[in-house]
Short mmCIF file of all heavy atoms in Angstrom, two decimals:
data_model
loop_
_atom_site.label_atom_id
_atom_site.label_comp_id
_atom_site.label_asym_id
_atom_site.label_seq_id
_atom_site.Cartn_x
_atom_site.Cartn_y
_atom_site.Cartn_z
N MET A 1 0.85 -1.16 0.00
CA MET A 1 0.00 0.00 0.00
C MET A 1 0.90 1.24 0.00
O MET A 1 1.82 1.33 0.80
CB MET A 1 -0.85 -0.05 1.27
CG MET A 1 -1.90 0.99 1.37
SD MET A 1 -3.18 0.98 0.14
CE MET A 1 -3.65 -0.72 0.04
N GLU A 2 0.64 2.16 -0.91
CA GLU A 2 1.41 3.41 -0.96
C GLU A 2 0.73 4.45 -0.08
O GLU A 2 -0.48 4.64 -0.15
CB GLU A 2 1.50 3.92 -2.39
CG GLU A 2 2.35 5.18 -2.50
CD GLU A 2 2.45 5.67 -3.93
OE1 GLU A 2 1.46 6.24 -4.42
OE2 GLU A 2 3.53 5.48 -4.52
N VAL A 3 1.51 5.09 0.77
CA VAL A 3 0.99 6.11 1.68
C VAL A 3 1.79 7.39 1.47
O VAL A 3 3.02 7.37 1.51
CB VAL A 3 1.11 5.66 3.16
CG1 VAL A 3 0.54 6.71 4.09
CG2 VAL A 3 0.43 4.32 3.38
N LYS A 4 1.08 8.50 1.22
CA LYS A 4 1.70 9.82 1.09
C LYS A 4 1.23 10.66 2.26
O LYS A 4 0.02 10.77 2.50
CB LYS A 4 1.32 10.50 -0.22
CG LYS A 4 1.86 9.80 -1.44
CD LYS A 4 1.45 10.54 -2.69
CE LYS A 4 1.94 9.79 -3.92
NZ LYS A 4 1.55 10.47 -5.15
N ILE A 5 2.18 11.27 2.97
CA ILE A 5 1.86 12.07 4.15
C ILE A 5 2.35 13.49 3.93
O ILE A 5 3.53 13.72 3.70
CB ILE A 5 2.54 11.48 5.41
CG1 ILE A 5 2.14 10.01 5.59
CG2 ILE A 5 2.18 12.30 6.64
CD1 ILE A 5 2.96 9.28 6.63
N GLY A 6 1.43 14.43 4.02
CA GLY A 6 1.78 15.83 3.95
C GLY A 6 1.98 16.36 5.35
O GLY A 6 1.16 16.12 6.24
N VAL A 7 3.08 17.07 5.57
CA VAL A 7 3.40 17.62 6.88
C VAL A 7 3.38 19.14 6.78
O VAL A 7 3.97 19.71 5.85
CB VAL A 7 4.79 17.12 7.36
CG1 VAL A 7 5.12 17.66 8.73
CG2 VAL A 7 4.84 15.60 7.36
N GLN A 8 2.72 19.78 7.74
CA GLN A 8 2.65 21.24 7.75
C GLN A 8 4.05 21.83 7.84
O GLN A 8 4.91 21.33 8.56
CB GLN A 8 1.83 21.72 8.95
CG GLN A 8 0.39 21.35 8.88
CD GLN A 8 -0.36 21.77 10.13
OE1 GLN A 8 0.14 22.51 10.96
NE2 GLN A 8 -1.59 21.30 10.25
N HIS A 9 4.28 22.91 7.10
CA HIS A 9 5.54 23.66 7.09
C HIS A 9 6.71 22.85 6.57
O HIS A 9 7.86 23.14 6.88
CB HIS A 9 5.87 24.22 8.48
CG HIS A 9 4.74 24.96 9.11
ND1 HIS A 9 4.22 26.13 8.59
CD2 HIS A 9 3.99 24.69 10.20
CE1 HIS A 9 3.23 26.54 9.33
NE2 HIS A 9 3.05 25.69 10.33
N ALA A 10 6.42 21.79 5.79
CA ALA A 10 7.47 20.99 5.15
C ALA A 10 7.21 21.04 3.65
O ALA A 10 6.09 20.80 3.20
CB ALA A 10 7.45 19.56 5.65
N PRO A 11 8.23 21.35 2.86
CA PRO A 11 8.03 21.51 1.42
C PRO A 11 7.76 20.20 0.67
O PRO A 11 7.20 20.22 -0.42
CB PRO A 11 9.32 22.16 0.94
CG PRO A 11 10.34 21.75 1.94
CD PRO A 11 9.60 21.63 3.25
N ARG A 12 8.14 19.06 1.24
CA ARG A 12 7.97 17.78 0.53
C ARG A 12 7.10 16.85 1.35
O ARG A 12 7.08 16.91 2.57
CB ARG A 12 9.33 17.13 0.31
CG ARG A 12 10.24 17.98 -0.57
CD ARG A 12 11.56 17.35 -0.80
NE ARG A 12 11.39 16.12 -1.56
CZ ARG A 12 12.35 15.26 -1.78
NH1 ARG A 12 13.55 15.47 -1.32
NH2 ARG A 12 12.12 14.17 -2.48
N GLU A 13 6.41 15.96 0.64
CA GLU A 13 5.60 14.96 1.33
C GLU A 13 6.44 13.72 1.60
O GLU A 13 7.46 13.48 0.95
CB GLU A 13 4.37 14.61 0.50
CG GLU A 13 4.68 14.02 -0.83
CD GLU A 13 3.45 13.89 -1.72
OE1 GLU A 13 2.40 14.45 -1.42
OE2 GLU A 13 3.58 13.22 -2.75
N ILE A 14 6.00 12.93 2.55
CA ILE A 14 6.64 11.66 2.87
C ILE A 14 5.90 10.58 2.10
O ILE A 14 4.67 10.49 2.17
CB ILE A 14 6.57 11.37 4.37
CG1 ILE A 14 7.28 12.47 5.17
CG2 ILE A 14 7.16 10.00 4.69
CD1 ILE A 14 7.02 12.41 6.66
N VAL A 15 6.63 9.77 1.33
CA VAL A 15 6.02 8.68 0.55
C VAL A 15 6.65 7.38 1.02
O VAL A 15 7.87 7.26 1.07
CB VAL A 15 6.26 8.88 -0.96
CG1 VAL A 15 5.63 7.73 -1.75
CG2 VAL A 15 5.71 10.21 -1.43
N LEU A 16 5.80 6.40 1.36
CA LEU A 16 6.33 5.11 1.77
C LEU A 16 5.43 4.00 1.28
O LEU A 16 4.24 4.20 1.04
CB LEU A 16 6.51 5.04 3.29
CG LEU A 16 5.26 5.13 4.15
CD1 LEU A 16 4.99 3.79 4.80
CD2 LEU A 16 5.47 6.17 5.22
N GLU A 17 6.02 2.83 1.09
CA GLU A 17 5.29 1.62 0.73
C GLU A 17 5.12 0.82 2.03
O GLU A 17 6.10 0.46 2.66
CB GLU A 17 6.08 0.79 -0.28
CG GLU A 17 6.28 1.45 -1.62
CD GLU A 17 5.01 1.52 -2.44
OE1 GLU A 17 4.15 0.64 -2.28
OE2 GLU A 17 4.89 2.46 -3.23
N SER A 18 3.89 0.59 2.41
CA SER A 18 3.60 -0.11 3.65
C SER A 18 3.01 -1.47 3.37
O SER A 18 2.22 -1.63 2.43
CB SER A 18 2.64 0.72 4.51
OG SER A 18 2.31 0.02 5.69
N GLY A 19 3.35 -2.44 4.19
CA GLY A 19 2.77 -3.77 4.08
C GLY A 19 1.41 -3.85 4.77
O GLY A 19 0.73 -4.87 4.68
N GLN A 20 1.01 -2.79 5.47
CA GLN A 20 -0.27 -2.76 6.15
C GLN A 20 -1.40 -2.56 5.15
O GLN A 20 -1.20 -2.00 4.08
CB GLN A 20 -0.30 -1.61 7.18
CG GLN A 20 0.73 -1.77 8.28
CD GLN A 20 0.83 -0.52 9.12
OE1 GLN A 20 1.17 0.54 8.61
NE2 GLN A 20 0.55 -0.65 10.40
N SER A 21 -2.58 -3.00 5.51
CA SER A 21 -3.74 -2.82 4.63
C SER A 21 -4.22 -1.37 4.72
O SER A 21 -3.86 -0.63 5.64
CB SER A 21 -4.87 -3.76 5.03
OG SER A 21 -5.39 -3.38 6.29
N ALA A 22 -5.07 -0.98 3.77
CA ALA A 22 -5.62 0.37 3.77
C ALA A 22 -6.44 0.62 5.03
O ALA A 22 -6.40 1.72 5.59
CB ALA A 22 -6.48 0.58 2.53
N GLU A 23 -7.15 -0.38 5.50
CA GLU A 23 -7.96 -0.23 6.71
C GLU A 23 -7.09 -0.01 7.94
O GLU A 23 -7.42 0.81 8.80
CB GLU A 23 -8.85 -1.47 6.91
CG GLU A 23 -9.94 -1.63 5.88
CD GLU A 23 -9.43 -2.22 4.56
OE1 GLU A 23 -8.36 -2.87 4.55
OE2 GLU A 23 -10.10 -2.01 3.54
N GLU A 24 -5.97 -0.73 8.03
CA GLU A 24 -5.06 -0.55 9.16
C GLU A 24 -4.45 0.85 9.16
O GLU A 24 -4.38 1.50 10.20
CB GLU A 24 -3.93 -1.59 9.11
CG GLU A 24 -4.36 -2.99 9.42
CD GLU A 24 -3.21 -3.97 9.25
OE1 GLU A 24 -2.63 -4.01 8.15
OE2 GLU A 24 -2.90 -4.66 10.23
N VAL A 25 -4.02 1.32 7.99
CA VAL A 25 -3.43 2.66 7.88
C VAL A 25 -4.48 3.71 8.24
O VAL A 25 -4.20 4.64 9.00
CB VAL A 25 -2.86 2.91 6.46
CG1 VAL A 25 -2.42 4.34 6.30
CG2 VAL A 25 -1.72 1.95 6.17
N GLU A 26 -5.69 3.55 7.74
CA GLU A 26 -6.76 4.50 8.05
C GLU A 26 -7.07 4.53 9.55
O GLU A 26 -7.28 5.59 10.12
CB GLU A 26 -8.02 4.13 7.27
CG GLU A 26 -9.13 5.14 7.43
CD GLU A 26 -10.33 4.82 6.56
OE1 GLU A 26 -10.26 3.91 5.73
OE2 GLU A 26 -11.35 5.52 6.74
N ARG A 27 -7.07 3.37 10.20
CA ARG A 27 -7.32 3.30 11.64
C ARG A 27 -6.24 4.04 12.43
O ARG A 27 -6.54 4.82 13.33
CB ARG A 27 -7.41 1.84 12.10
CG ARG A 27 -7.69 1.69 13.59
CD ARG A 27 -7.67 0.23 14.01
NE ARG A 27 -6.47 -0.49 13.61
CZ ARG A 27 -5.30 -0.41 14.24
NH1 ARG A 27 -5.13 0.37 15.27
NH2 ARG A 27 -4.26 -1.12 13.81
N VAL A 28 -4.98 3.82 12.07
CA VAL A 28 -3.87 4.48 12.75
C VAL A 28 -3.93 5.99 12.57
O VAL A 28 -3.72 6.76 13.51
CB VAL A 28 -2.52 3.90 12.25
CG1 VAL A 28 -1.35 4.69 12.79
CG2 VAL A 28 -2.38 2.45 12.63
N VAL A 29 -4.24 6.44 11.35
CA VAL A 29 -4.36 7.87 11.07
C VAL A 29 -5.52 8.47 11.86
O VAL A 29 -5.39 9.54 12.46
CB VAL A 29 -4.52 8.13 9.55
CG1 VAL A 29 -4.86 9.58 9.28
CG2 VAL A 29 -3.25 7.73 8.82
N SER A 30 -6.65 7.78 11.89
CA SER A 30 -7.82 8.27 12.62
C SER A 30 -7.54 8.41 14.11
O SER A 30 -7.95 9.38 14.74
CB SER A 30 -9.02 7.33 12.42
OG SER A 30 -9.41 7.33 11.08
N GLU A 31 -6.83 7.43 14.67
CA GLU A 31 -6.47 7.50 16.09
C GLU A 31 -5.56 8.69 16.37
O GLU A 31 -5.71 9.37 17.39
CB GLU A 31 -5.80 6.20 16.54
CG GLU A 31 -6.75 5.03 16.64
CD GLU A 31 -6.05 3.73 16.97
OE1 GLU A 31 -4.80 3.71 17.10
OE2 GLU A 31 -6.76 2.71 17.09
N ALA A 32 -4.62 8.94 15.47
CA ALA A 32 -3.71 10.07 15.67
C ALA A 32 -4.47 11.39 15.58
O ALA A 32 -4.24 12.31 16.38
CB ALA A 32 -2.58 10.03 14.64
N LEU A 33 -5.39 11.50 14.63
CA LEU A 33 -6.14 12.74 14.46
C LEU A 33 -7.16 12.95 15.58
O LEU A 33 -7.51 14.08 15.91
CB LEU A 33 -6.83 12.76 13.10
CG LEU A 33 -5.91 12.87 11.90
CD1 LEU A 33 -6.69 12.76 10.61
CD2 LEU A 33 -5.10 14.15 11.94
N ALA A 34 -7.67 11.87 16.17
CA ALA A 34 -8.65 11.96 17.25
C ALA A 34 -7.99 12.30 18.58
O ALA A 34 -8.68 12.56 19.56
CB ALA A 34 -9.42 10.65 17.36
N GLY A 35 -6.66 12.28 18.62
CA GLY A 35 -5.95 12.61 19.86
C GLY A 35 -5.65 11.41 20.73
O GLY A 35 -5.11 11.56 21.82
N LYS A 36 -5.97 10.19 20.25
CA LYS A 36 -5.66 8.99 21.02
C LYS A 36 -4.16 8.71 21.04
O LYS A 36 -3.65 8.07 21.95
CB LYS A 36 -6.41 7.79 20.46
CG LYS A 36 -7.91 7.90 20.59
CD LYS A 36 -8.60 6.69 20.01
CE LYS A 36 -10.10 6.84 20.10
NZ LYS A 36 -10.80 5.73 19.46
N ALA A 37 -3.47 9.16 20.00
CA ALA A 37 -2.01 9.00 19.90
C ALA A 37 -1.42 10.34 19.51
O ALA A 37 -2.00 11.07 18.70
CB ALA A 37 -1.66 7.94 18.86
N HIS A 38 -0.29 10.69 20.08
CA HIS A 38 0.35 11.97 19.76
C HIS A 38 1.22 11.87 18.51
O HIS A 38 1.61 12.90 17.95
CB HIS A 38 1.20 12.45 20.94
CG HIS A 38 0.38 12.73 22.15
ND1 HIS A 38 -0.46 13.80 22.23
CD2 HIS A 38 0.26 12.06 23.32
CE1 HIS A 38 -1.07 13.81 23.40
NE2 HIS A 38 -0.65 12.75 24.08
N LEU A 39 1.52 10.64 18.09
CA LEU A 39 2.34 10.41 16.90
C LEU A 39 1.62 9.49 15.92
O LEU A 39 0.96 8.54 16.34
CB LEU A 39 3.67 9.75 17.27
CG LEU A 39 4.69 10.57 18.04
CD1 LEU A 39 5.85 9.68 18.45
CD2 LEU A 39 5.18 11.72 17.20
N LEU A 40 1.76 9.79 14.64
CA LEU A 40 1.35 8.86 13.60
C LEU A 40 2.55 7.95 13.37
O LEU A 40 3.63 8.42 13.02
CB LEU A 40 0.97 9.59 12.32
CG LEU A 40 0.73 8.71 11.10
CD1 LEU A 40 -0.43 7.76 11.33
CD2 LEU A 40 0.50 9.56 9.88
N SER A 41 2.36 6.66 13.57
CA SER A 41 3.45 5.71 13.45
C SER A 41 3.10 4.66 12.40
O SER A 41 2.11 3.95 12.54
CB SER A 41 3.70 5.02 14.80
OG SER A 41 4.67 4.03 14.67
N LEU A 42 3.90 4.60 11.32
CA LEU A 42 3.71 3.62 10.25
C LEU A 42 5.03 2.90 10.00
O LEU A 42 6.10 3.47 10.19
CB LEU A 42 3.24 4.29 8.96
CG LEU A 42 1.87 4.97 9.02
CD1 LEU A 42 1.63 5.76 7.74
CD2 LEU A 42 0.77 3.95 9.22
N VAL A 43 4.94 1.66 9.53
CA VAL A 43 6.13 0.86 9.21
C VAL A 43 6.12 0.57 7.72
O VAL A 43 5.10 0.15 7.17
CB VAL A 43 6.13 -0.46 10.02
CG1 VAL A 43 7.34 -1.30 9.67
CG2 VAL A 43 6.07 -0.18 11.51
N ASP A 44 7.27 0.82 7.06
CA ASP A 44 7.34 0.57 5.62
C ASP A 44 7.70 -0.89 5.34
O ASP A 44 7.88 -1.69 6.27
CB ASP A 44 8.29 1.54 4.92
CG ASP A 44 9.75 1.28 5.20
OD1 ASP A 44 10.09 0.34 5.95
OD2 ASP A 44 10.59 2.03 4.67
N GLU A 45 7.82 -1.25 4.06
CA GLU A 45 8.09 -2.63 3.66
C GLU A 45 9.44 -3.14 4.14
O GLU A 45 9.65 -4.34 4.24
CB GLU A 45 8.03 -2.75 2.14
CG GLU A 45 6.64 -2.64 1.58
CD GLU A 45 6.61 -2.80 0.07
OE1 GLU A 45 7.63 -2.51 -0.59
OE2 GLU A 45 5.56 -3.21 -0.44
N HIS A 46 10.37 -2.23 4.42
CA HIS A 46 11.72 -2.63 4.84
C HIS A 46 11.85 -2.66 6.35
O HIS A 46 12.95 -2.84 6.87
CB HIS A 46 12.75 -1.67 4.26
CG HIS A 46 12.69 -1.59 2.76
ND1 HIS A 46 13.12 -2.61 1.94
CD2 HIS A 46 12.23 -0.63 1.93
CE1 HIS A 46 12.94 -2.28 0.67
NE2 HIS A 46 12.38 -1.07 0.64
N GLY A 47 10.75 -2.45 7.07
CA GLY A 47 10.78 -2.49 8.53
C GLY A 47 11.16 -1.18 9.18
O GLY A 47 11.29 -1.11 10.41
N ARG A 48 11.32 -0.11 8.39
CA ARG A 48 11.65 1.20 8.97
C ARG A 48 10.38 1.85 9.48
O ARG A 48 9.33 1.79 8.84
CB ARG A 48 12.32 2.09 7.93
CG ARG A 48 13.67 1.55 7.49
CD ARG A 48 14.25 2.43 6.43
NE ARG A 48 13.46 2.27 5.21
CZ ARG A 48 13.95 2.38 3.99
NH1 ARG A 48 15.20 2.70 3.81
NH2 ARG A 48 13.18 2.20 2.94
N LYS A 49 10.47 2.49 10.63
CA LYS A 49 9.32 3.14 11.24
C LYS A 49 9.35 4.62 10.93
O LYS A 49 10.39 5.27 11.06
CB LYS A 49 9.33 2.92 12.75
CG LYS A 49 8.05 3.37 13.43
CD LYS A 49 8.05 3.05 14.90
CE LYS A 49 7.57 1.63 15.06
NZ LYS A 49 7.23 1.33 16.46
N VAL A 50 8.20 5.17 10.52
CA VAL A 50 8.05 6.59 10.23
C VAL A 50 7.14 7.18 11.30
O VAL A 50 6.02 6.70 11.51
CB VAL A 50 7.44 6.82 8.83
CG1 VAL A 50 7.22 8.30 8.58
CG2 VAL A 50 8.33 6.23 7.76
N LEU A 51 7.63 8.20 12.01
CA LEU A 51 6.86 8.86 13.06
C LEU A 51 6.63 10.31 12.67
O LEU A 51 7.57 11.02 12.33
CB LEU A 51 7.62 8.81 14.39
CG LEU A 51 7.98 7.43 14.91
CD1 LEU A 51 8.92 7.53 16.09
CD2 LEU A 51 6.73 6.67 15.29
N VAL A 52 5.37 10.75 12.73
CA VAL A 52 5.02 12.13 12.41
C VAL A 52 4.14 12.65 13.55
O VAL A 52 3.17 11.99 13.92
CB VAL A 52 4.25 12.22 11.07
CG1 VAL A 52 3.88 13.66 10.75
CG2 VAL A 52 5.06 11.61 9.94
N PRO A 53 4.45 13.82 14.11
CA PRO A 53 3.58 14.39 15.14
C PRO A 53 2.16 14.59 14.59
O PRO A 53 1.99 15.15 13.51
CB PRO A 53 4.23 15.73 15.49
CG PRO A 53 5.64 15.61 15.00
CD PRO A 53 5.61 14.67 13.84
N ALA A 54 1.17 14.13 15.32
CA ALA A 54 -0.21 14.18 14.85
C ALA A 54 -0.69 15.61 14.61
O ALA A 54 -1.47 15.86 13.70
CB ALA A 54 -1.13 13.49 15.85
N ASP A 55 -0.20 16.55 15.38
CA ASP A 55 -0.65 17.94 15.21
C ASP A 55 -0.01 18.62 14.01
O ASP A 55 -0.38 19.74 13.67
CB ASP A 55 -0.41 18.75 16.48
CG ASP A 55 1.06 18.84 16.87
OD1 ASP A 55 1.88 18.03 16.35
OD2 ASP A 55 1.40 19.70 17.69
N ARG A 56 0.92 17.97 13.33
CA ARG A 56 1.56 18.53 12.13
C ARG A 56 1.07 17.90 10.84
O ARG A 56 1.55 18.24 9.76
CB ARG A 56 3.08 18.34 12.22
CG ARG A 56 3.72 19.06 13.36
CD ARG A 56 3.71 20.53 13.12
NE ARG A 56 4.39 21.21 14.21
CZ ARG A 56 4.02 22.38 14.67
NH1 ARG A 56 2.99 22.99 14.16
NH2 ARG A 56 4.66 22.92 15.66
N LEU A 57 0.12 16.98 10.91
CA LEU A 57 -0.39 16.32 9.71
C LEU A 57 -1.20 17.31 8.89
O LEU A 57 -2.09 17.97 9.40
CB LEU A 57 -1.27 15.13 10.07
CG LEU A 57 -0.57 13.90 10.61
CD1 LEU A 57 -1.60 12.87 11.04
CD2 LEU A 57 0.36 13.31 9.58
N ALA A 58 -0.90 17.38 7.61
CA ALA A 58 -1.69 18.20 6.69
C ALA A 58 -2.68 17.30 5.94
O ALA A 58 -3.85 17.63 5.80
CB ALA A 58 -0.78 18.93 5.70
N TYR A 59 -2.20 16.15 5.44
CA TYR A 59 -3.07 15.19 4.75
C TYR A 59 -2.37 13.84 4.71
O TYR A 59 -1.15 13.74 4.87
CB TYR A 59 -3.41 15.65 3.33
CG TYR A 59 -2.22 15.74 2.41
CD1 TYR A 59 -1.80 14.65 1.67
CD2 TYR A 59 -1.50 16.92 2.29
CE1 TYR A 59 -0.70 14.72 0.84
CE2 TYR A 59 -0.41 17.01 1.46
CZ TYR A 59 -0.02 15.91 0.74
OH TYR A 59 1.06 15.99 -0.08
N VAL A 60 -3.16 12.80 4.50
CA VAL A 60 -2.64 11.44 4.31
C VAL A 60 -3.40 10.85 3.13
O VAL A 60 -4.63 10.83 3.12
CB VAL A 60 -2.83 10.56 5.56
CG1 VAL A 60 -2.34 9.14 5.29
CG2 VAL A 60 -2.11 11.15 6.76
N GLU A 61 -2.66 10.41 2.13
CA GLU A 61 -3.24 9.81 0.93
C GLU A 61 -2.89 8.33 0.92
O GLU A 61 -1.72 7.95 1.01
CB GLU A 61 -2.65 10.51 -0.29
CG GLU A 61 -3.27 10.15 -1.60
CD GLU A 61 -2.65 10.96 -2.72
OE1 GLU A 61 -2.61 12.20 -2.63
OE2 GLU A 61 -2.18 10.33 -3.69
N ILE A 62 -3.91 7.49 0.83
CA ILE A 62 -3.72 6.04 0.86
C ILE A 62 -4.16 5.48 -0.48
O ILE A 62 -5.26 5.77 -0.95
CB ILE A 62 -4.57 5.40 1.98
CG1 ILE A 62 -4.25 6.04 3.34
CG2 ILE A 62 -4.33 3.90 2.03
CD1 ILE A 62 -5.23 5.69 4.43
N GLY A 63 -3.30 4.68 -1.13
CA GLY A 63 -3.67 4.11 -2.41
C GLY A 63 -2.76 2.99 -2.83
O GLY A 63 -1.75 2.72 -2.19
N GLU A 64 -3.13 2.36 -3.91
CA GLU A 64 -2.31 1.29 -4.47
C GLU A 64 -1.06 1.90 -5.10
O GLU A 64 -1.12 2.97 -5.68
CB GLU A 64 -3.09 0.52 -5.53
CG GLU A 64 -4.24 -0.27 -4.96
CD GLU A 64 -3.80 -1.37 -4.02
OE1 GLU A 64 -2.77 -2.03 -4.29
OE2 GLU A 64 -4.47 -1.56 -3.01
N PRO A 65 0.09 1.22 -4.99
CA PRO A 65 1.30 1.74 -5.63
C PRO A 65 1.17 1.73 -7.14
O PRO A 65 0.58 0.82 -7.71
CB PRO A 65 2.39 0.78 -5.15
CG PRO A 65 1.68 -0.46 -4.77
CD PRO A 65 0.30 -0.05 -4.33
N SER A 66 1.70 2.76 -7.77
CA SER A 66 1.68 2.81 -9.23
C SER A 66 2.90 2.07 -9.77
O SER A 66 3.99 2.16 -9.21
CB SER A 66 1.69 4.26 -9.71
OG SER A 66 2.83 4.92 -9.23
N PRO A 67 2.72 1.32 -10.87
CA PRO A 67 3.87 0.59 -11.42
C PRO A 67 4.89 1.57 -11.98
O PRO A 67 4.54 2.59 -12.57
CB PRO A 67 3.25 -0.26 -12.53
CG PRO A 67 1.96 0.40 -12.86
CD PRO A 67 1.51 1.12 -11.62
N ARG A 68 6.14 1.26 -11.77
CA ARG A 68 7.21 2.14 -12.26
C ARG A 68 7.52 1.81 -13.70
O ARG A 68 7.63 0.65 -14.09
CB ARG A 68 8.45 1.97 -11.40
CG ARG A 68 8.17 2.39 -9.98
CD ARG A 68 9.40 2.28 -9.16
NE ARG A 68 9.03 2.63 -7.79
CZ ARG A 68 9.87 2.96 -6.87
NH1 ARG A 68 11.15 2.98 -7.15
NH2 ARG A 68 9.46 3.27 -5.67
N LYS A 69 7.66 2.85 -14.51
CA LYS A 69 7.96 2.66 -15.92
C LYS A 69 9.47 2.63 -16.12
O LYS A 69 10.19 3.46 -15.56
CB LYS A 69 7.33 3.78 -16.73
CG LYS A 69 5.82 3.77 -16.63
CD LYS A 69 5.21 4.90 -17.39
CE LYS A 69 3.71 4.80 -17.23
NZ LYS A 69 3.02 6.02 -17.42
N VAL A 70 9.91 1.68 -16.91
CA VAL A 70 11.34 1.53 -17.18
C VAL A 70 11.54 1.49 -18.68
O VAL A 70 10.78 0.84 -19.40
CB VAL A 70 11.86 0.22 -16.55
CG1 VAL A 70 13.34 0.05 -16.86
CG2 VAL A 70 11.63 0.22 -15.05
N GLY A 71 12.54 2.19 -19.15
CA GLY A 71 12.86 2.13 -20.57
C GLY A 71 12.27 3.28 -21.37
O GLY A 71 11.81 4.27 -20.84
N PHE A 72 12.28 3.12 -22.69
CA PHE A 72 11.85 4.16 -23.60
C PHE A 72 10.61 3.74 -24.37
O PHE A 72 10.53 3.87 -25.57
CB PHE A 72 12.99 4.50 -24.59
CG PHE A 72 14.20 5.06 -23.92
CD1 PHE A 72 15.30 4.26 -23.66
CD2 PHE A 72 14.22 6.37 -23.53
CE1 PHE A 72 16.42 4.77 -23.04
CE2 PHE A 72 15.33 6.90 -22.90
CZ PHE A 72 16.43 6.10 -22.68
N GLY A 73 9.62 3.20 -23.70
CA GLY A 73 8.41 2.75 -24.37
C GLY A 73 7.53 3.92 -24.78
O GLY A 73 7.64 5.04 -24.28
N ALA A 74 6.67 3.68 -25.75
CA ALA A 74 5.72 4.70 -26.19
C ALA A 74 4.64 4.87 -25.14
O ALA A 74 4.21 3.91 -24.51
CB ALA A 74 5.11 4.30 -27.52
N LEU A 75 4.19 6.10 -24.95
CA LEU A 75 3.15 6.36 -23.97
C LEU A 75 1.80 6.07 -24.49
O LEU A 75 1.20 6.22 -25.30
CB LEU A 75 3.24 7.81 -23.48
CG LEU A 75 4.54 8.14 -22.76
CD1 LEU A 75 4.56 9.61 -22.39
CD2 LEU A 75 4.68 7.31 -21.51
#
């Protein structure tokens, strides 16, 4: 699952591939926004943990990863 996180006052978004389902990611984000957790904590496919302060979240986009294009194929 591809997750894009926008952080307030940061020029770039955080993009990670997570092994968690969309429902799990949505639950974790909802808990952080509801104030149940002070940090949004997600784990990527390589086991790295990403922590974002809940009060700095601008947006979270959850979706399927797009296939990467390789080579010089016609569009």
Side-chain angles (χ1 to χ4, degrees):
M1 186 62 46
E2 183 179 75
V3 181
K4 294 181 183 179
I5 305 169
V7 181
Q8 294 177 11
H9 310 295
R12 298 180 65 188
E13 61 189 12
I14 300 169
V15 180
L16 64 111
E17 295 288 331
S18 177
Q20 297 170 299
S21 68
E23 292 79 21
E24 289 176 304
V25 173
E26 185 175 352
R27 181 184 52 79
V28 172
V29 171
S30 296
E31 288 175 358
L33 292 175
K36 295 180 183 176
H38 297 289
L39 291 173
L40 171 62
S41 175
L42 296 172
V43 179
D44 72 0
E45 288 181 334
H46 303 288
R48 295 178 290 211
K49 189 176 275 194
V50 177
L51 302 170
V52 179
D55 61 344
R56 297 289 183 215
L57 288 174
Y59 64 88
V60 177
E61 188 177 307
I62 304 168
E64 292 296 321
S66 59
R68 298 183 183 198
K69 297 178 180 157
V70 178
F72 297 100
L75 297 177

